[in-house]
């Protein structure tokens, strides 16, 4: 977990463990100010003792549990700006993260940058807010949720084939809204598009679109009468 003051006066990165005897979580280690700038992203792996932090200072760090203690195992600097959104592959061997209008893929053992995928310039994307690997265990595709600097507060998704390292397709969602994506296994993923009530619509709503990564045509669409911020 991360506790961070809004005025950037301090940040506390805490690693927890579950104590079976007390049936409670206890702080195993606290790291004061893990970065020189604001921490943007905190990510933990599902099964490995591995975590990642990214910061506006341009650096990102991997944390691992070594000899019973959490330490910064390695760190590197973003190719430009800073890493804004990130995710681990299922094995934890790869960290996928966004910087500017691009996605980078790092080997978590050495933090070598293995590949960079850029959003098509025609989309005018300025940043990614989410990254997901499809599927997570054996990723063959990557999906990124991006925001555009153009008129209308446009947002959208882009999909890349990781076997060829080429852009597969993209889709725009005009009028803004809140987008997030998640892998649903195999070569499929879901995207939620949440919008607030407006003059045309009296209530909040969310569309959940299910895709095959190979096609921009949704296989199914759910409608929810709520503003869903997570998927």
């Amino acid at each position: 977990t991360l506790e961070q003051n809004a005025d950037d006066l301090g940040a506390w990165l805490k690693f927890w463990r579950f104590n079976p005897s007390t049936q409670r979580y206890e702080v195993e280690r606290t790291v004061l100010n893990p970065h020189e700038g604001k921490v943007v992203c905190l990510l933990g792996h599902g099964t490995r003792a591995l975590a990642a932090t990214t910061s506006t200072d341009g650096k990102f760090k991997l944390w691992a549990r070594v000899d019973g203690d959490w330490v910064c195992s390695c760190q590197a600097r973003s190719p430009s700006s800073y890493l804004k959104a990130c995710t681990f592959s299922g094995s934890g061997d790869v960290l996928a993260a966004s910087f500017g209008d691009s996605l980078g893929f790092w080997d978590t053992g050495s933090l070598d940058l293995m590949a960079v995928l850029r959003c098509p310039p025609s989309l005018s994307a300025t940043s990614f807010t989410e990254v997901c690997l499809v599927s997570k265990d054996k990723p063959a595709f990557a999906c990124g949720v991006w925001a555009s600097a153009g008129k209308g507060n446009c947002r959208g998704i882009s999909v890349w084939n990781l076997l060829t390292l080429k852009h597969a397709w993209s889709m725009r969602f005009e009028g803004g809204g809140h987008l997030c994506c998640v892998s649903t296994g195999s070569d499929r993923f879901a995207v939620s598009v949440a919008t607030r009530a407006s003059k045309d619509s009296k209530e909040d709503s969310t569309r959940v679109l299910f895709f095959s990564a190979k096609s921009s045509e949704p296989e199914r669409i759910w409608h929810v009468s709520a503003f869903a911020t997570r998927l």
Side-chain angles (χ1 to χ4, degrees):
T1 60
L2 178 75
E3 299 170 26
Q4 187 165 234
N5 288 331
D7 51 12
D8 296 333
L9 290 180
W12 295 263
L13 176 63
K14 294 183 178 180
F15 297 92
W16 301 72
R17 68 178 181 89
F18 184 72
N19 188 331
S21 61
T22 62
Q23 291 292 297
R24 292 184 179 184
Y25 284 95
E26 300 172 352
V27 176
E28 194 169 33
R29 191 189 174 196
T30 299
V31 179
L32 176 63
N33 296 327
H35 287 272
E36 296 175 5
K38 181 180 179 181
V39 177
V40 178
C41 182
L42 170 62
L43 174 71
H45 191 269
T47 57
R48 289 178 56 180
L50 180 67
T53 55
T54 73
S55 169
T56 55
D57 63 12
K59 296 179 182 179
F60 60 101
K61 298 181 179 182
L62 293 184
W63 304 82
R65 198 169 186 268
V66 180
D67 297 329
D69 190 20
W70 283 93
V71 297
C72 176
S73 58
C74 51
Q75 62 178 302
R77 183 171 288 276
S78 169
S80 66
S81 184
Y82 58 88
L83 303 188
K84 192 170 185 180
C86 55
T87 187
F88 285 120
S89 64
S91 63
D93 294 336
V94 176
L95 174 71
S98 68
F99 53 93
D101 65 349
S102 301
L103 300 183
F105 298 82
W106 285 265
D107 182 327
T108 57
S110 60
L111 281 190
D112 289 336
L113 180 59
M114 299 183 294
V116 175
L117 303 176
R118 190 185 176 197
C119 207
S122 59
L123 297 175
S124 301
T126 55
S127 63
F128 284 90
T129 57
E130 282 206 30
V131 180
C132 81
L133 298 177
V134 188
S135 72
K136 201 169 181 65
D137 292 334
K138 295 181 179 180
F141 296 89
C143 177
V145 176
W146 48 262
S148 172
K151 295 182 180 179
N153 189 27
C154 179
R155 295 180 182 274
I157 58 172
S158 291
V159 178
W160 288 266
N161 186 321
L162 295 180
L163 302 180
T164 62
L165 296 180
K166 292 185 177 181
H167 174 254
W169 56 271
S170 294
M171 178 177 288
R172 290 177 179 270
F173 297 91
E174 305 291 347
H178 182 89
L179 269 68
C180 58
C181 64
V182 64
S183 173
T184 58
S186 185
D187 63 347
R188 284 166 169 76
F189 66 98
V191 176
S192 67
V193 186
T195 54
R196 291 294 188 187
S198 63
K199 294 180 180 179
D200 299 326
S201 175
K202 295 183 179 180
E203 61 181 12
D204 298 341
S205 64
T206 299
R207 286 183 297 152
V208 183
L209 299 88
F210 296 86
F211 291 96
S212 163
K214 300 175 183 178
S215 173
S216 60
E217 282 293 324
E219 294 182 327
R220 189 174 181 182
I221 301 177
W222 286 355
H223 293 273
V224 183
S225 298
F227 188 87
T229 57
R230 298 301 305 165
L231 178 65

